[in-house]
Amino acid sequence: MTDRPTRRGTAALATAALATALLAAPATADVADDDPRLVVVPLDDRPANVYFPTMTAASADVDVVLPPEDLVGTFTTPGDGDAVGQWLLDQDDADGFVVSVSMLAYGGLIASRTGVAATAAEARERVSVLRELREQRPGTPIYVYDTIQRLALSALGENAELYYTLIQQWAILTDRVENLGHEELRGDLEEVRAQIPDDVLADYVAARERNHEVNLMLVEWAAEGVVDHLVLAQDDAAPYGLHRAEREQLRALVEELGAQDTVQIFPGADEVDATLVSRFVQGLNGTSPAVAVEYSGIDGADWVAPFEDTSYAENIERHVVAAGGTVVAQEPDIWLLVNTPSADDGDRATDLDAFVARVAELEEAGEDVIVLDALEVNRAERALTDRLEESVEIASLLSYSAWNTAGNALGIATGHGFARWSYLEAGSVGDSVEELVEQAEVHVSYLLHRFVLDDRWKNDVQTAAYAEAQERGWNVFGLTEEQTEVMEAFVVERLVPLTEEFHAEHFAGRTAVLAPGAADATIGELVSTHVALPWPRLFEAELEPQVRLVAPEPEPEPTEPTGEPTEEPTDDPSGEPTAPAPTEPGTGPGGTAAPSAPSSPSTDRLPATGAATSAAAGLVGALLLGGATLLLVRRRSALTR
């Protein structure tokens, strides 16, 4: 495992003396004076809510500022909402704000699912900080999000798995019987209710009622202008459940107040930080991507993804709008290619072949492409990633995600892709070559992370880790400190070499776009790979690779004619011919030696031993950045609400 100063600091890639280093300084550390500062109050301290939005922003030359670690809390220890609120008011030099109300009001996502986290009055008082913030910063963008509570409890503590299922069943049956009149199910409802302790159910109901009250208040504030954009993300759900009535009441209030342009309600949760980062970047640069959507299988209008309650096409459109874009039928800026189920299982291979061919076709035409794998929950579809690795220049994609639910993957992929597109479209104007390389290194490192995390981690290493822990009799969702150390070492010795292999095969030696009209950089070595378990469980992993780019050589300066006569060639046969000295492959001026790919993919991607594979071959050649700059005028639109 590689070292870094803090586990949950503001991670950002920066180029210093043409070397890449992952910065994880505390949120109070100084950042570049000329870079926009976006203050983010995260949903919690997991990588999805800290690393993902930080890298999304950094790929677009925006610095994310996070609250100090001790205020945010971790796992079952809630954050300090009162202290976070005061910290938020102290951020005088912020250019924008993205705020999780779950953190502000309750101390994070897990705490928000419990009635004991805060009373309704305490929650309203903590959230009132947003009104103070608006009074202090009347012209600064304030983007806010909260969750509509999911059906189930958190899978924590004794009997957690049992209550997780029972509460979910009770919430669905209650909606169908009490709200929709399905009396034939009343017996089932009573049977499930009898198995749930009174105190467990009372806490669940109290949390739902409190959270819904706060969300109704937030809609009113959005209509009033206290916040500039509000996202209410439906955490894990189903077509029926108590959330359905809550959502309909919220939508009715949005319509009544005419707040349709400032409030989005859609399935999701962990991805919203990244989604709203993109919205900030679009406003910063005065951009808004037009996005065309294509599917590998079923049209999104005809598919409801697992843990969701609306059509996927509707979820896509709402996420795109929240991220600052628009869905269009033709002439897009970005192509969003979405992996969905096939109408007939027998057509799967044919559908995937056509889908990947379409990705390759668009890439070859120079189009910006995002690949969104929404098919399987919690992992990439291996049949798709195998085809992408074989037929597509993965490093040239604008973004990719298959993380967790379909809604999560959607927001992560579009957040990153839209933000990067905006930077290339407008934000990069006036940046020096060094600055362009810095942002591109972030983008490439994050894209590598996305593929390895969503495929290699989820399909290979996590599966093996679950098996190892269960064989030892350990709870994979609640490890002890000693067990966490053992399993973290298990994960590190497998995930690091897989990251190195993926980089060597699909990134090293490829090109990376720096800016329109600028020469491309070359993707160089994998400098380091940080891997850890952020929480004492095996559901998620920290994976933070750092990739170095080789900048393009500057154009040679034109030489003035000297007027001296040019020596004529001679026919003297005694003249010795002049020839360049032989060089090793890849060692010529600016030359690169890309590592060779394996002859065929392995069916078992896990390393046979714990020894890490050797790093990708270093790219040789001087980094002749010098003082080269793009003599352009920065065109950043003024920040608007």
Side-chain angles (χ1 to χ4, degrees):
M1 178 173 58
T2 58
D3 295 328
R4 63 174 179 161
T6 65
R7 184 165 62 88
R8 300 186 307 278
T10 304
L13 288 173
T15 302
L18 307 185
T20 309
L22 184 64
L23 302 180
T28 54
D30 292 336
V31 293
D33 292 337
D34 59 344
D35 288 343
R37 295 168 58 97
L38 179 61
V39 168
V40 174
V41 174
L43 186 61
D44 54 37
D45 69 328
R46 287 172 299 149
N49 301 303
V50 176
Y51 180 75
F52 294 8
T54 298
M55 296 298 280
T56 295
S59 71
D61 198 20
V62 171
D63 290 317
V64 162
V65 181
L66 298 163
E69 294 179 20
D70 59 337
L71 301 187
V72 173
T74 186
F75 198 37
T76 57
T77 302
D80 186 339
D82 293 318
V84 169
Q86 185 56 56
W87 175 87
L88 189 62
L89 294 175
D90 292 340
Q91 303 310 301
D92 297 332
D93 55 354
D95 296 302
F97 299 89
V98 170
V99 181
S100 163
V101 167
S102 292
M103 175 58 69
L104 193 61
Y106 318 116
L109 180 62
I110 287 181
S112 74
R113 297 168 181 162
T114 68
V116 298
T119 65
E122 289 169 338
R124 288 194 302 270
E125 177 64 24
R126 291 169 182 167
V127 177
S128 68
V129 164
L130 296 173
R131 278 195 171 277
E132 295 182 56
L133 186 63
R134 172 53 73 211
E135 291 172 2
Q136 289 183 10
R137 308 294 297 275
T140 304
I142 302 175
Y143 304 138
V144 172
Y145 73 100
D146 200 10
T147 61
I148 301 173
Q149 188 172 337
R150 74 179 190 177
L151 286 172
L153 300 171
S154 295
L156 302 168
E158 189 177 359
N159 297 321
E161 186 174 347
L162 173 63
Y163 295 152
Y164 178 99
T165 302
L166 288 173
I167 287 288
Q168 187 176 43
Q169 292 174 342
W170 178 84
I172 291 172
L173 289 168
T174 297
D175 181 43
R176 297 189 66 178
V177 173
E178 303 297 347
N179 296 332
L180 300 175
H182 297 175
E183 284 297 325
E184 71 276 10
L185 298 175
R186 185 169 293 278
D188 295 337
L189 172 60
E190 293 173 352
E191 180 180 349
V192 170
R193 171 63 185 89
Q195 300 176 65
I196 305 173
D198 291 345
D199 60 333
V200 172
L201 186 61
D203 184 73
Y204 174 80
V205 171
R208 290 209 77 96
E209 291 176 348
R210 176 202 62 203
N211 296 359
H212 185 53
E213 181 181 329
V214 169
N215 285 341
L216 289 168
M217 179 181 72
L218 291 173
V219 172
E220 293 175 350
W221 287 8
E224 185 182 338
V226 175
V227 301
D228 297 297
H229 200 81
L230 172 66
V231 170
L232 296 177
Q234 173 61 65
D235 203 358
D236 299 348
Y240 296 107
L242 295 181
H243 65 284
R244 188 191 57 79
E246 294 167 355
R247 183 197 65 220
E248 292 309 311
Q249 187 177 359
L250 289 164
R251 284 182 173 174
L253 182 60
V254 169
E255 186 172 352
E256 176 187 338
L257 299 176
Q260 295 92 331
D261 291 339
T262 54
V263 180
Q264 292 295 326
I265 302 174
F266 52 66
D270 293 324
E271 80 284 0
V272 182
D273 290 297
T275 296
L276 292 178
V277 165
S278 170
R279 187 176 189 87
F280 172 79
V281 171
Q282 307 307 322
L284 180 71
N285 294 328
T287 56
S288 179
V291 183
V293 183
E294 294 184 2
Y295 300 95
S296 67
I298 300 172
D299 190 284
D302 302 319
W303 183 54
V304 176
F307 297 103
E308 299 190 359
D309 58 357
T310 61
S311 77
Y312 202 52
E314 179 181 343
N315 199 8
I316 287 174
E317 182 164 9
R318 291 182 179 276
H319 269 86
V320 168
V321 170
T326 306
V327 174
V328 298
Q330 55 188 0
E331 298 184 2
D333 300 305
I334 296 172
W335 291 88
L336 178 61
L337 270 64
V338 185
N339 187 32
T340 55
S342 296
D344 186 333
D345 288 342
D347 295 335
R348 191 65 193 155
T350 301
D351 287 348
L352 288 177
D353 288 342
F355 182 72
V356 171
R358 178 61 170 157
V359 175
E361 175 189 15
L362 290 169
E363 270 197 339
E364 291 171 5
E367 300 287 345
D368 287 320
V369 182
I370 295 173
V371 174
L372 165 59
D373 187 354
L375 183 72
E376 299 184 19
V377 176
N378 289 335
R379 70 186 67 243
E381 183 186 11
R382 177 53 63 77
L384 172 60
T385 54
D386 282 347
R387 286 169 169 81
L388 289 172
E389 290 177 43
E390 181 179 349
S391 304
V392 169
E393 285 292 339
I394 284 176
S396 297
L397 292 173
L398 198 56
S399 63
Y400 164 87
S401 183
W403 192 84
N404 213 12
T405 68
N408 295 154
L410 167 60
I412 292 165
T414 54
H416 175 205
F418 291 6
R420 181 62 182 167
W421 172 86
S422 178
Y423 176 75
L424 295 175
E425 186 75 8
S428 60
V429 175
D431 281 357
S432 67
V433 174
E434 292 92 333
E435 291 170 320
L436 295 174
V437 168
E438 180 181 338
Q439 312 334 316
E441 286 180 334
V442 176
H443 165 69
V444 169
S445 298
Y446 188 42
L447 186 59
L448 171 62
H449 153 96
R450 288 256 51 89
F451 272 97
V452 176
L453 188 79
D454 297 355
D455 182 67
R456 302 302 198 262
W457 158 247
K458 284 294 187 178
N459 282 312
D460 298 318
V461 180
Q462 186 186 61
T463 301
Y466 277 164
E468 176 71 15
Q470 289 166 347
E471 185 177 342
R472 293 169 178 260
W474 297 348
N475 179 2
V476 299
F477 293 108
L479 301 169
T480 66
E481 183 175 350
E482 182 179 350
Q483 291 168 357
T484 301
E485 291 180 1
V486 172
M487 293 312 303
E488 182 170 86
F490 180 94
V491 170
V492 168
E493 72 174 0
R494 287 158 179 79
L495 193 54
V496 168
L498 288 176
T499 305
E500 293 169 347
E501 290 170 5
F502 201 94
H503 165 265
E505 185 170 350
H506 301 295
F507 281 81
R510 270 65 171 189
T511 58
V513 174
L514 296 183
D520 292 343
T522 301
I523 300 175
E525 65 180 317
L526 179 60
V527 178
S528 64
T529 303
H530 166 82
V531 172
L533 296 179
W535 284 4
R537 66 183 194 179
L538 294 172
F539 187 76
E540 58 270 301
E542 291 179 358
L543 171 64
E544 301 178 7
Q546 304 173 47
V547 178
R548 177 178 296 159
L549 299 191
V550 178
E553 294 186 6
E555 293 292 330
E557 293 291 334
T559 57
E560 294 292 335
T562 62
E564 296 293 330
T566 303
E567 184 178 348
E568 294 294 328
T570 177
D571 293 329
D572 183 358
S574 64
E576 294 293 330
T578 302
T583 62
E584 292 295 324
T587 61
T592 61
S596 59
S599 58
S600 62
S602 171
T603 56
D604 182 5
R605 298 180 188 274
L606 290 176
T609 69
T613 58
S614 61
L619 296 173
V620 183
L623 305 184
L624 302 176
L625 294 183
T629 58
L630 299 177
L631 301 180
L632 301 172
V633 179
R634 179 182 294 276
R635 295 180 299 168
R636 288 235 166 136
S637 62
L639 293 173
T640 61
R641 291 179 53 197

